[in-house]
């Protein structure tokens, strides 16, 4: 149970001020005695400029007054209190930002930010934040859950709610009693007795959860993922975590963590086939594809090597899409081999790219044309050959096009041109798949 201490603080009058009352008091204070007497007789309202002044003042304070910003009512007729401040006390282990990250209740922004959000654009500010008891109760549960995930199983939270009736605001103070933090006594992994000893040694030698360390649920989740990934990459694609149990001893407040796994069957890679998506890949040598595959027949199946094979083939630049599929046997099949199929969709071998340049470089009207040619899988080995030529003319409006076809056409004093011709050869495989080369001249 959480204890709550509610303190009501009333500033000034107990009657909530309204925009109309505020404007009426303001207008009477700014009128002279004669004007107030004239208002009672009706003469004051005959003055057109006074009417305009009153309307301008009304519009200004209806937009900017403090009472208008903080005395908004809920649609059901009940008062809504804006969250003015959220304060924490006693949180020595977890910072304020960490605690606020799991809370839905937020502090209201500044008045300027709220004004920009409501009257200018939602992108320029933030909306008002109002207190909701139901949401706040859920926030308290989230905070206790956060502390529990960090090893504090006896955390208690006291709350102090300070209401300000005059401004329809509320300040929240959370007093946290963290308690003793639990340490990890032992981490036990069940179900791994039947796997290869080398894999088991790798699992236990690089553990993230260390005996005697403070409990942290995030580290425990990373440890579970680490063990599963090791199993996936050593021939156990069907490995799964059955349960994760955390036992706490009341005598010492320390923990024993039990992880139960089912590794499943260990598979080796069977036959590897290569096919084209929607057609053939006659232009591409299969030896080239196998060069970029990290999977080999006879070795243990590895999820990481499968994904790395897809990345390596995609980096060659000659395939539009790459997919490496593993075909696992059915449950009732006793086979321990996994056939692999590579489905590839090659990109166009030849590609022409026309270009048009228009800019105002050097404060002049510049026009240019260009043409690029790309030959993918140039002489095999996934080479990419790219050549590009371009011609740019500066101040084209001052150049006589007809004179350009004469013997002295390119000697016109007003002609400023630039021609470029580049050749580029990219070799994605040099000595190994991780080393590539690029030559430009």
């Amino acid at each position: 149970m959480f204890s709550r201490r509610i303190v009501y603080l009333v500033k000034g009058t107990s009657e909530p001020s309204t925009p109309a009352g505020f404007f009426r008091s303001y207008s009477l204070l700014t009128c002279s005695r004669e004007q107030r007497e004239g208002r009672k007789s009706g003469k004051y309202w005959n003055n057109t400029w006074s009417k305009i002044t009153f309307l301008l003042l009304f519009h200004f304070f209806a937009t900017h007054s403090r009472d208008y910003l903080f005395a908004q009512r809920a649609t059901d007729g009940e008062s809504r209190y804006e969250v003015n401040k959220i304060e924490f006390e006693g949180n020595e282990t977890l910072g304020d930002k960490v605690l606020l990250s799991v809370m839905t209740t937020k502090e209201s922004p500044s008045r300027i930010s709220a004004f920009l959000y409501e009257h200018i654009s939602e992108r320029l500010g933030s909306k008002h934040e109002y207190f909701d008891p139901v949401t706040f109760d859920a926030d308290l549960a989230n905070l206790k859950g956060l502390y529990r995930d960090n090893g504090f199983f006896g955390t208690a939270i006291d709350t102090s709610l300070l209401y300000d009736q005059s401004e329809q605001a509320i300040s929240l103070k959370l007093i946290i009693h963290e308690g003793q933090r639990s340490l990890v006594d032992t981490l036990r992994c069940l179900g791994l007795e039947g796997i290869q000893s080398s894999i088991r040694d790798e699992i236990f030698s690089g553990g993230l959860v260390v005996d005697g360390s403070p409990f942290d649920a995030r580290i425990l989740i990373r440890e579970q993922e680490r063990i599963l990934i090791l199993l996936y990459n050593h021939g156990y694609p069907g490995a799964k975590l059955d349960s994760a149990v955390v036992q706490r001893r009341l005598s010492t407040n320390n923990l024993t963590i039990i992880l139960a796994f089912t590794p499943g069957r260990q598979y080796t890679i069977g036959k590897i086939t290569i096919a084209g998506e929607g057609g053939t890949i006659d232009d591409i040598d299969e030896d080239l594809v196998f060069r970029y595959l990290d999977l080999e027949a006879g070795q243990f199946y590895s999820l990481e090597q499968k994904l790395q094979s897809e990345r390596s083939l995609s980096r060659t630049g000659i395939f539009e899409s790459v997919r490496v599929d593993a075909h696992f046997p059915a449950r009732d099949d006793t086979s321990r081999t996994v056939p692999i199929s590579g489905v590839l969709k090659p990109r166009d071998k030849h590609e022409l790219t026309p270009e048009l340049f228009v800019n105002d470089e050097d404060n002049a009207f510049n026009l240019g044309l260009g043409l690029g040619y790309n030959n993918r899988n140039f002489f095999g080995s996934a080479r990419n050959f790219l050549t590009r030529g371009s011609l740019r003319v500066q101040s084209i409006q001052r150049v006589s096009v007809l004179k350009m076809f004469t013997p002295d056409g390119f000697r016109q004093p007003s002609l400023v041109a630039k021609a470029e011709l580049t050749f580029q050869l990219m070799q994605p495989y040099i000595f190994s798949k991780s080393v590539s080369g690029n030559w430009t001249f």
Side-chain angles (χ1 to χ4, degrees), residues 29-85:
L29 288 174
T30 54
C31 295
S32 63
R33 180 177 180 181
E34 291 77 6
Q35 289 173 330
R36 290 197 295 271
E37 293 296 333
R39 172 179 292 183
K40 295 180 180 178
S41 62
K43 295 180 181 179
Y44 176 77
W45 294 101
N46 293 330
N47 190 328
T48 303
W49 289 106
S50 297
K51 292 180 181 179
I52 295 175
T53 303
F54 175 80
L55 292 175
L56 291 175
L57 289 173
F58 181 87
H59 175 73
F60 177 82
F61 284 100
T63 306
H64 299 277
S65 71
R66 178 192 62 187
D67 299 302
Y68 177 76
L69 289 176
F70 288 92
Q72 298 185 31
R73 301 293 182 180
T75 56
D76 57 0
E78 297 181 358
S79 298
R80 301 175 67 189
Y81 291 89
E82 191 170 2
V83 180
N84 182 39
K85 184 179 181 181

Side-chain angles (χ1 to χ4, degrees), residues 119-362:
H119 301 284
I120 306 298
S121 173
E122 296 182 358
R123 299 181 179 180
L124 299 180
S126 302
K127 65 178 181 179
H128 293 282
E129 298 289 346
Y130 294 96
F131 177 73
D132 182 6
V134 177
T135 302
F136 188 59
D137 284 340
D139 289 336
L140 295 178
N142 291 338
L143 289 173
K144 294 194 70 175
L146 176 63
Y147 269 98
R148 183 172 59 252
D149 290 342
N150 284 272
F152 296 93
F153 293 89
T155 299
I157 303 177
D158 293 333
T159 60
S160 173
L161 281 65
L162 184 65
Y163 288 86
D164 190 337
Q165 295 285 58
S166 63
E167 294 190 348
Q168 291 287 296
I170 183 173
S171 296
L172 309 176
K173 185 176 183 179
L174 287 77
I175 305 171
I176 299 174
H177 308 279
E178 293 182 342
Q180 182 183 358
R181 190 173 190 180
S182 298
L183 304 179
V184 177
D185 270 348
T186 307
L187 172 64
R188 298 170 56 192
C189 296
L190 306 180
L192 303 179
E193 298 80 9
I195 66 175
Q196 291 184 350
S197 59
S198 58
I199 304 174
R200 191 167 57 252
D201 293 341
E202 186 176 355
I203 289 176
F204 293 120
S205 62
L208 302 178
V209 179
V210 181
D211 294 348
S213 62
F215 175 76
D216 191 329
R218 295 171 300 178
I219 296 179
L220 178 58
I221 292 175
R222 294 207 305 267
E223 175 68 6
Q224 298 169 12
E225 295 174 348
R226 184 188 71 88
I227 295 175
L228 287 175
I229 290 174
L230 283 173
L231 292 173
Y232 294 156
N233 294 335
H234 288 82
Y236 297 95
K240 63 179 180 178
L241 175 69
D242 294 327
S243 63
V245 179
V246 178
Q247 298 176 346
R248 182 166 65 99
R249 296 183 180 180
L250 296 179
S251 57
T252 61
N253 197 43
N254 290 342
L255 308 176
T256 298
I257 303 173
I258 303 175
L259 303 179
F261 294 91
T262 299
R265 298 178 182 176
Q266 188 177 29
Y267 290 95
T268 58
I269 297 175
K271 183 179 180 180
I272 302 176
T273 59
I274 306 298
E277 181 179 337
T280 61
I281 51 172
D282 296 335
D283 295 337
I284 299 175
D285 190 0
E286 283 193 1
D287 292 339
L288 169 65
V289 178
F290 279 103
R291 182 187 300 175
Y292 288 93
L293 284 178
D294 288 349
L295 301 172
E296 295 182 6
Q299 69 179 14
F300 289 120
Y301 172 81
S302 170
L303 177 61
E304 175 60 29
Q305 290 179 353
K306 170 185 174 296
L307 299 176
Q308 182 60 39
S309 298
E310 292 179 339
R311 290 192 291 264
S312 298
L313 288 170
S314 297
R315 279 198 297 264
T316 61
I318 64 175
F319 299 108
E320 184 175 334
S321 65
V322 176
R323 192 175 74 249
V324 178
D325 296 328
H327 306 279
F328 297 101
R331 291 186 177 181
D332 55 353
D333 193 342
T334 59
S335 175
R336 295 298 184 94
T337 59
V338 181
I340 302 294
S341 64
V343 183
L344 312 173
K345 184 178 180 180
R347 303 177 67 180
D348 294 335
K349 181 176 178 61
H350 305 282
E351 182 179 7
L352 286 175
T353 307
E355 298 174 343
L356 175 64
F357 308 97
V358 178
N359 58 52
D360 59 349
E361 186 179 351
D362 297 332

